[in-house]
Amino acid sequence: MIRTYLKAFQIGVIAGMRTMTAPALVSYKLSRTTPNPLPDSKLHFLTSPKATNVLAVMAAGELVGDKLPQAGDRIGFPQILGRIGAGAVCGAAIVEADEKPTAYGAVLGALGATAGSFAFFYLRQWLTHEKDLPDPVVALAEDALAIGAGLLIVNDGEFWEIAS
């Protein structure tokens, strides 16, 4: 039980790093899980292959958009609200798929997204301003971390399970 709640918090942290990466990964996993883990849920849309494709395109767009100079700070308003919302939805879906109370997953996902947003915002600031690392390099490393860690979270530590 605690593991499910930990996963909800962790996927929230991923949403704090990259808003759309978390829902894209959760949807990808849920759409390939049989039997359908959310048959009568309000979050059932996440199990649809069409939703998975749309979320993947949105996640790819975000990865590109994050590198643009006009991209807003992730802890600014309204960006932080999108991250918190994505974390809440993803946390709720993970917990509900494990037949646990959805509200706990939503709260933990939202908390994870808040923590991830602030932690990675300040880490990126420190690496680029204090350590003089180029921002695009730091951003690409964060992309890789978000995707890799997200895959591990949704696949219970089995990184390569996503390919099957």
Side-chain angles (χ1 to χ4, degrees), residues 2 56 84 91 95 98 119-120 124 150 155:
I2 221 79
I84 291 169
V95 168
D98 200 29
F120 284 93
R124 187 164 167 180
N155 289 311

Side-chain angles (χ1 to χ4, degrees), residues 16 45 61 68 83 87 140 151 154 160 164:
F45 71 94
L68 301 175
R83 293 172 189 276
L140 289 171
L151 286 171
V154 299
W160 299 113
S164 60

Side-chain angles (χ1 to χ4, degrees), residues 22-69:
L25 292 172
V26 169
S27 181
Y28 186 87
K29 178 64 176 181
L30 292 175
S31 70
R32 285 157 176 73
T33 302
T34 54
N36 184 332
L38 305 173
D40 299 320
S41 171
K42 292 179 182 177
L43 300 173
H44 176 74
F45 71 94
L46 288 171
T47 65
S48 162
K50 287 181 183 179
T52 300
N53 292 336
V54 169
L55 290 168
V57 168
M58 292 173 71
E62 181 186 22
L63 294 178
V64 172
D66 175 65
K67 313 312 178 277
L68 301 175

Side-chain angles (χ1 to χ4, degrees), residues 83-147:
R83 293 172 189 276
I84 291 169
V89 167
C90 291
I94 284 174
V95 168
E96 188 171 351
D98 200 29
E99 300 176 358
K100 306 283 187 276
T102 307
Y104 294 137
V107 169
L108 288 167
L111 289 172
T114 303
S117 294
F118 281 93
F120 284 93
F121 174 80
Y122 288 112
L123 177 61
R124 187 164 167 180
Q125 292 290 313
W126 179 73
L127 290 171
T128 57
H129 292 94
E130 300 294 324
K131 297 300 179 186
D132 293 322
L133 292 173
D135 187 65
V137 171
V138 175
L140 289 171
E142 188 178 358
D143 292 344
L145 179 61
I147 294 166

